[in-house]
Amino acid sequence: MNRFMTSINKVSLIQQIIIGLIIGIVTALYIPDIAKELSLLGILFVGALKGIAPILVFFLVITAISKHRSGQKTGMGSVITLYLLGTFLSAALAVIVSWFFPTTLHLATGATDAAPPQGIAEVMITLLKNIVDNPVHALMTGNYIGILGWALMIGGALRHAPMGTKENIESFSQAITTVVGWIIRFAPLGIMGLVADSIATNGIEALLGYLQLLVLLLGSMFFVALVINPLLVFIFIRRNPYPLVFKCLRESAIYAFFTRSSAANIPVNLDLAKRLHLNPDMYSVSIPLGATINMGGAAITITIMTLAAAHTLGIQVDIPTAILLSVIATIGACGASGVAGGSLLLIPLACSLFGISNDIAMQVVGVGFIIGVLQDSTETALNSSTDILFTATADYAKRGYNKDWQ
């Protein structure tokens, strides 16, 4: 057994994931019955990540804040600027793409049990309420805004605690980090189960009717990942951004694509941030915060789907309205749920800007759920990998770029 484990460990984790991915695809195509049984591996993997993430974030933030020294700069201002700017530019790109390639939708039945927000004010009020959520309830439900809020306050209160108390909390935080590492080692099996179940259950037939819409959505997301984000990174660090961009895509986006949850990918990003030697005071806060407010992929989905609905109904969109839509998509995306399909329920909110009825808007949401197997996976991969990318960018800009950290 020891020899077997030693042989396994000689293969890099990314290579193991690729092998698991291939096995999952082959199993789904040729042995679909077994593929559905493999779904248990994916359920366990995602469940373990979601289960450990709230506790990990809670104690990491408490540890970082309790040890923070007055006057020590964390660079959080730069991270938040990158988050908001990246999300707005994503929405603006989606507007331009929709103008050049207008799309007509074949409307589908909407999600009848979904309850979209009635306005931007409701989205923002919900965010504010989440900050003061019961801390135990926040941990149980994965409410990261609430977890961050309480962890910041508790960490601040512990700044004058005895050093022994701080060391005990830090030891507990390190133990949880170790557990996260153990869970991540099972990623090849988890991803094998996720991809096998996804292909066996959904197939590709349902996607063909919405091919143009998918191409616009995925193409825009790839453009943001490979052009807009690198440009923002270059502006901040004044170095070739692509080594860092590709590392974040390779070691964060792959996990997020298959888990389809920014929340579940938080432990992966925190582990990568540690290996990049980033400032714990920054990444322990910026990574979970990014899972809530850094939503470039969601902004693209909201904007393109809304403008496709407007084009389908023959509604003309002028430049001022398009700019307003980009702002609404940016703000709305910040309130998008960090779970699969979370951005889709904000489409009716954006559609209301053009007077599109809620009934039609929910049919557009129904289209979103049909193509979600690719759209939502790619959206989450963009969102989550950008969290770690912008965190690393802000840290490099503050402390100086070091090629050995790539």
Side-chain angles (χ1 to χ4, degrees):
M1 179 59 71
N2 289 335
R3 289 182 179 179
F4 176 75
M5 293 305 299
T6 301
S7 300
I8 291 293
N9 290 330
K10 288 181 179 179
V11 182
S12 72
L13 187 60
I14 297 298
Q15 291 174 326
Q16 292 179 33
I17 290 173
I18 293 174
I19 294 171
L21 180 63
I22 294 172
I23 294 174
I25 293 173
V26 172
T27 304
L29 292 176
Y30 297 102
I31 324 175
D33 291 337
I34 294 180
K36 292 183 178 180
E37 297 296 329
L38 289 177
S39 65
L40 178 61
L41 295 174
I43 292 171
L44 292 175
F45 177 64
V46 174
L49 286 176
K50 286 185 176 180
I52 197 67
I55 304 173
L56 174 66
V57 169
F58 188 65
F59 281 97
L60 277 179
V61 174
I62 289 177
T63 300
I65 299 302
S66 65
K67 296 173 63 179
H68 180 73
R69 296 186 299 273
S70 298
Q72 181 181 359
K73 296 182 179 180
T74 62
M76 280 300 300
S78 298
V79 176
I80 293 175
T81 298
L82 280 166
Y83 283 171
L84 297 180
L85 181 59
T87 302
F88 176 77
L89 291 177
S90 298
L93 170 69
V95 169
I96 296 171
V97 168
S98 296
W99 271 345
F100 281 102
F101 305 99
T103 303
T104 300
L105 295 177
H106 305 288
L107 297 179
T109 303
T112 57
D113 58 343
Q118 298 303 307
I120 287 294
E122 182 179 338
V123 174
M124 302 311 296
I125 289 172
T126 299
L127 282 174
L128 292 174
K129 286 182 178 179
N130 284 340
I131 295 176
V132 294
D133 188 14
N134 181 292
V136 176
H137 183 262
L139 286 167
M140 291 175 60
T141 59
N143 168 18
Y144 286 95
I145 289 294
I147 291 170
L148 280 175
W150 288 111
L152 288 170
M153 285 188 278
I154 294 172
L158 286 171
R159 288 180 64 182
H160 302 291
M163 185 58 64
T165 301
K166 296 181 182 180
E167 290 175 351
N168 288 334
I169 295 174
E170 184 176 9
S171 296
F172 193 74
S173 175
Q174 291 174 349
I176 299 173
T177 302
T178 301
V179 172
V180 169
W182 294 344
I183 295 172
I184 291 175
R185 291 301 304 174
F186 285 93
L189 294 176
I191 288 177
M192 179 180 68
L194 288 168
V195 71
D197 179 59
S198 178
I199 294 177
T201 302
N202 298 290
I204 61 172
E205 294 82 1
L207 304 177
L208 296 179
Y210 301 98
L211 186 59
Q212 181 180 350
L213 179 62
L214 264 175
V215 169
L216 286 182
L217 287 166
L218 303 189
S220 298
M221 293 177 193
F222 278 110
F223 189 87
V224 169
L226 299 175
V227 179
I228 292 180
N229 284 351
L231 180 60
L232 290 174
V233 173
F234 174 78
I235 290 172
F236 271 72
I237 67 174
R238 299 294 179 178
R239 296 289 190 278
N240 177 13
Y242 284 99
L244 178 61
V245 168
F246 289 138
K247 186 176 185 67
C248 293
L249 289 174
R250 184 174 65 250
E251 300 200 23
S252 174
I254 291 176
Y255 292 94
F257 182 89
F258 292 105
T259 61
R260 293 178 63 186
S261 170
S262 296
N265 211 49
I266 287 175
V268 176
N269 280 344
L270 290 172
D271 178 68
L272 178 55
K274 182 179 180 181
R275 288 187 284 114
L276 288 172
H277 307 290
L278 303 184
N279 181 6
D281 288 352
M282 177 192 290
Y283 74 70
S284 61
V285 177
S286 66
I287 295 298
L289 181 64
T292 304
I293 70 168
N294 182 38
M295 294 286 177
I300 289 172
T301 297
I302 294 168
T303 304
I304 287 182
M305 297 289 281
T306 299
L307 290 177
H311 180 263
T312 300
L313 298 175
I315 299 173
Q316 298 298 316
V317 181
D318 55 25
I319 293 178
T321 305
I323 295 173
L324 180 58
L325 174 62
S326 298
V327 174
I328 289 177
T330 300
I331 298 173
C334 291
S337 172
V339 298
S343 62
L344 296 177
L345 293 183
L346 291 166
I347 291 173
L349 172 62
C351 283
S352 65
L353 179 65
F354 303 100
I356 299 174
S357 69
N358 199 56
D359 179 60
I360 297 295
M362 290 308 290
Q363 292 184 53
V364 178
V365 173
V367 173
F369 279 113
I370 291 173
I371 64 175
V373 64
L374 287 179
Q375 168 270 322
D376 191 54
S377 296
T378 308
E379 174 188 313
T380 308
L382 173 62
N383 291 341
S384 196
S385 62
T386 305
D387 295 345
I388 181 63
L389 175 65
F390 285 167
T391 295
T393 298
D395 193 49
Y396 289 175
K398 181 173 70 74
R399 294 198 291 160
Y401 182 78
N402 187 326
K403 65 181 181 180
D404 293 334
W405 292 352
Q406 295 176 9

